[in-house]
Amino acid sequence: MKITPEISVKIKKLIQEFVNHPQDSIHSKALQTMVAKFNIFPLTFNFFSCYCINLNGEIILFDSEYNVENKKITEKRLINLVLCQGIKKYPELKELMPIRSENDINCSHCNGTGIEPLAKELNLVENIICWCGGLGWIPVEPKKL
């Protein structure tokens, strides 16, 4: 993913706003401290982790206590999931939405709809995210030699 200077400025502005003006209870003091210390912006959470983006566009993982060293995420599927979900909350980052290539495949979990079937059945579409992150497709990772 290529980050333009304009996108980097948007991320930096989101970081500053987050640190200076927390908006809800999930923005704990520990999370604010982590965001300020590492200059990253939290895009999405799961039960145990926080996925953030840095000014270079890298996706960084922290544990739920925000006290372990950060880990750069390199798996394309997970990067896409984080970006897709983060952009739902922060549409100003829409330029980062993953773009499907001709080699990518339909998600076998949702049959290309982007909606996890169980989530639809339970009427929890906003709470349960498909394996594809809501895109409806899975990126094909290049083969390692």
Side-chain angles (χ1 to χ4, degrees):
M1 166 176 44
K2 191 166 187 156
I3 296 293
T4 65
E6 294 81 16
I7 293 292
S8 189
V9 167
K10 287 180 182 181
I11 295 169
K12 187 172 184 94
K13 182 180 176 187
L14 287 167
I15 291 169
Q16 290 168 343
E17 289 173 3
F18 187 92
V19 171
N20 295 328
H21 307 287
Q23 301 202 354
D24 57 44
S25 61
I26 202 163
H27 295 167
S28 68
K29 187 69 174 164
L31 181 57
Q32 281 181 280
T33 301
M34 179 196 72
V35 168
K37 179 179 179 181
F38 293 104
N39 209 26
I40 55 176
F41 183 70
L43 288 176
T44 192
F45 301 83
N46 66 20
F47 290 112
F48 308 107
S49 308
C50 172
Y51 292 91
C52 303
I53 189 167
N54 66 18
L55 298 177
N56 297 323
E58 298 169 319
I59 302 301
I60 309 296
L61 170 69
F62 284 84
D63 79 351
S64 60
E65 299 297 320
Y66 316 117
N67 61 7
V68 296
E69 238 175 90
N70 57 28
K71 175 186 173 191
K72 181 180 168 185
I73 301 299
T74 58
E75 180 189 349
K76 284 185 177 183
R77 181 201 60 82
L78 189 51
I79 291 169
N80 285 358
L81 183 150
V82 171
L83 290 173
C84 183
Q85 294 303 306
I87 291 166
K88 286 180 181 179
K89 288 188 252 177
Y90 306 100
E92 58 266 53
L93 299 176
K94 66 181 180 258
E95 296 95 334
L96 297 177
M97 185 61 83
I99 298 171
R100 185 176 182 163
S101 78
E102 61 186 34
N103 296 326
D104 298 331
I105 58 172
N106 276 347
C107 177
S108 61
H109 294 270
C110 66
N111 294 317
T113 67
I115 299 171
E116 169 64 45
L118 180 62
K120 192 172 184 176
E121 183 181 322
L122 297 174
N123 200 24
L124 294 171
V125 173
E126 297 299 317
N127 301 85
I128 300 174
I129 300 166
C130 186
W131 178 254
C132 64
L135 292 168
W137 53 272
I138 304 290
V140 174
E141 299 276 352
K143 292 183 180 180
K144 295 180 182 179
L145 300 176

